[in-house]
Amino acid sequence: LVQGEAITKLADMVNREIKIQCQPPNKFIYSFEGTMEIGNANKNGQVMALEIKQTLLRGCKLRNTEWVLGVIVYSGQETKIQMNLPKPPHKASEVEKLTAKSTGVIFLIQIICC
């Protein structure tokens, strides 16, 4: 397999050893750097550079394509999309707010009295 050569069927990838090395998970959506080494089981492989052009982020849809061969590099909380989500706001009910204020006032009164 030569860089830029099309893979026409899944059989082209059978019995090949594939190693992917890439940067650790980060929140920078528009950057990705890594290398992919494709080789036969008993030969040295060819090293190809991987960059943002070869990646699909979580939630993306690929259109006008019959098939695609892919690999999941990061999953769960390590995806770039998950790392960019803001922390959810803390929601407290009116009763919780009133209880917190009352506890604070009672604590201050006890300190003053004792």
Side-chain angles (χ1 to χ4, degrees):
L1 188 66
V2 179
Q3 187 169 354
E5 180 181 339
I7 301 169
T8 57
K9 54 189 176 240
L10 186 59
D12 292 342
M13 298 305 291
V14 174
N15 295 327
R16 294 193 185 262
E17 187 175 315
I18 300 173
K19 293 181 184 176
I20 296 177
Q21 293 182 342
C22 55
Q23 62 194 33
N26 61 50
K27 65 179 185 172
F28 305 110
I29 292 180
Y30 299 108
S31 72
F32 182 82
E33 295 176 4
T35 59
M36 178 172 62
E37 183 179 346
I38 302 175
N40 293 331
N42 42 346
K43 292 184 180 177
N44 287 338
Q46 175 190 5
V47 178
M48 298 167 48
L50 296 176
E51 52 190 35
I52 195 67
K53 287 191 266 183
Q54 287 98 9
T55 60
L56 284 175
L57 298 177
R58 177 181 179 213
C60 293
K61 294 182 181 179
L62 191 61
R63 296 183 181 176
N64 301 324
T65 304
E66 288 183 33
W67 64 277
V68 65
L69 186 60
V71 64
I72 297 172
V73 179
Y74 305 122
S75 64
Q77 296 297 321
E78 293 181 337
T79 62
K80 291 179 181 283
I81 300 298
Q82 286 290 335
M83 291 180 140
N84 278 297
L85 288 177
K87 300 278 186 207
H90 177 69
K91 296 180 182 177
S93 68
E94 293 298 318
V95 173
E96 286 179 307
K97 291 177 187 176
L98 181 63
T99 304
K101 287 180 185 176
S102 299
T103 305
V105 169
I106 292 170
F107 180 72
L108 288 173
I109 291 173
Q110 286 182 343
I111 288 180
I112 293 170
C113 291
C114 296

